[in-house]
Amino acid sequence: MKILYLETSSKNCSVAVSDNEKLLCVCEEVSENYKQSESLHTYVEWALEGAGISLKDIQAVSLGKGPGSYTGLRIGAASAKGFCYGLKIPFIAINSLESMIEPFLGQNYEFIVPLIDARRMEVYTAVYDGSTGKEISVTEAKILDETSFEEFRDKKVVFVGDGAKKAKDILNLPNADFREDIYPSAQYLIKKTLEKIEKKEFENMAYFEPFYLKDFHGVKKKGS
């Protein structure tokens, strides 16, 4: 089964294609300017070309549903729905935090904690078992202070994501590892996507909304 994966919740605009569990191609770029609107469909074309298939060969689309950038999530969701509607194929959505833990499973960490940078000292986060990937605490928006995650003081834990930088500066966890260079990536949606396909856990395109976690706060323009 050939599947297209889209992950646009962060600064990493990421597209992948797999044949069942085999990754065929991934195209992605981290940009401070959030380039999803101008890059996403180009990356889809490149990923399909790299995989040696065409769009009509795709049999399902999987989306990293957030949390993360409001605008990025809107772009990703609209594109995923468009592909699924046009091709009449299933639509799957995966928590973007789950794609961040995949590279660290089985690496002798007791816990893996993704941290997606939100405003000020806030992060989007959850806690996962370092061996099984099982969710231990649910996704939430958390304001960091020096007492945050102190339950992991004597544990082997890794904090991953662009929120790890400000966490490292404030958390009093000398034994923890911090990897701020990690972003949600389409290539790590494969395992969870196949599990959902097996269970036929598909999204309703008409009613699906990305996992914003918080309401959008726009910037008001000053009156002239």
Side-chain angles (χ1 to χ4, degrees):
M1 185 176 194
K2 295 178 177 63
I3 305 167
L4 175 68
Y5 305 85
L6 309 178
E7 176 49 76
T8 60
S9 67
S10 72
K11 296 173 184 176
N12 187 30
C13 182
S14 180
V15 176
V17 178
S18 84
D19 187 355
N20 290 319
E21 69 276 359
K22 182 183 179 182
L23 177 67
L24 298 179
C25 190
V26 59
C27 293
E28 60 186 5
E29 180 185 11
V30 176
S31 169
E32 292 298 320
N33 299 321
Y34 289 92
K35 296 175 66 176
Q36 292 90 338
S37 61
E38 59 190 77
S39 301
L40 180 60
H41 286 273
T42 299
Y43 288 2
V44 169
E45 290 179 13
W46 288 351
L48 290 169
E49 183 178 340
I53 62 175
S54 66
L55 188 60
K56 69 179 184 339
D57 296 317
I58 294 297
Q59 295 163 280
V61 176
S62 178
L63 174 72
K65 68 177 181 179
S69 159
Y70 185 93
T71 302
L73 290 171
R74 296 292 291 180
I75 292 167
S79 297
K81 287 182 178 182
F83 289 135
C84 291
Y85 183 80
L87 296 168
K88 296 180 173 58
I89 56 177
F91 176 30
I92 300 99
I94 307 294
N95 187 318
S96 294
L97 296 180
E98 296 192 22
S99 76
M100 299 170 71
I101 72 170
E102 282 290 319
F104 299 93
L105 290 174
Q107 300 296 315
N108 295 318
Y109 290 110
E110 294 176 75
F111 302 100
I112 306 168
V113 184
L115 299 173
I116 292 179
D117 194 6
R119 282 194 289 258
R120 302 184 182 90
M121 290 309 296
E122 192 169 29
V123 293
Y124 301 131
T125 186
V127 178
Y128 297 88
D129 182 277
S131 297
T132 65
K134 181 180 179 182
E135 184 182 73
I136 293 172
S137 69
V138 298
T139 303
E140 63 175 332
K142 186 181 186 74
I143 296 175
L144 296 176
D145 61 36
E146 57 273 7
T147 67
S148 298
F149 301 109
E150 60 182 5
E151 66 270 28
F152 300 130
R153 175 177 295 275
D154 299 318
K155 305 294 185 182
K156 189 157 178 54
V157 58
V158 59
F159 295 90
V160 301
D162 58 359
K165 178 176 172 53
K166 58 188 179 186
K168 185 177 183 179
D169 293 338
I170 193 173
L171 298 184
N172 185 23
L173 297 173
N175 297 320
D177 289 338
F178 296 85
R179 289 288 305 273
E180 60 192 73
D181 58 333
I182 302 300
Y183 294 90
S185 176
Q187 64 185 308
Y188 296 121
L189 296 173
I190 294 174
K191 180 181 175 184
K192 291 289 184 180
T193 297
L194 291 173
E195 289 174 2
K196 286 204 167 188
I197 290 173
E198 180 73 21
K199 298 174 184 175
K200 293 186 166 47
E201 294 179 1
F202 304 131
E203 301 296 329
N204 184 316
M205 280 185 284
Y207 297 102
F208 174 80
E209 285 288 325
F211 186 22
Y212 295 122
L213 200 56
K214 296 198 308 180
D215 292 334
F216 175 68
H217 297 285
V219 178
K220 292 183 178 179
K221 293 183 179 180
K222 293 181 180 179
S224 56

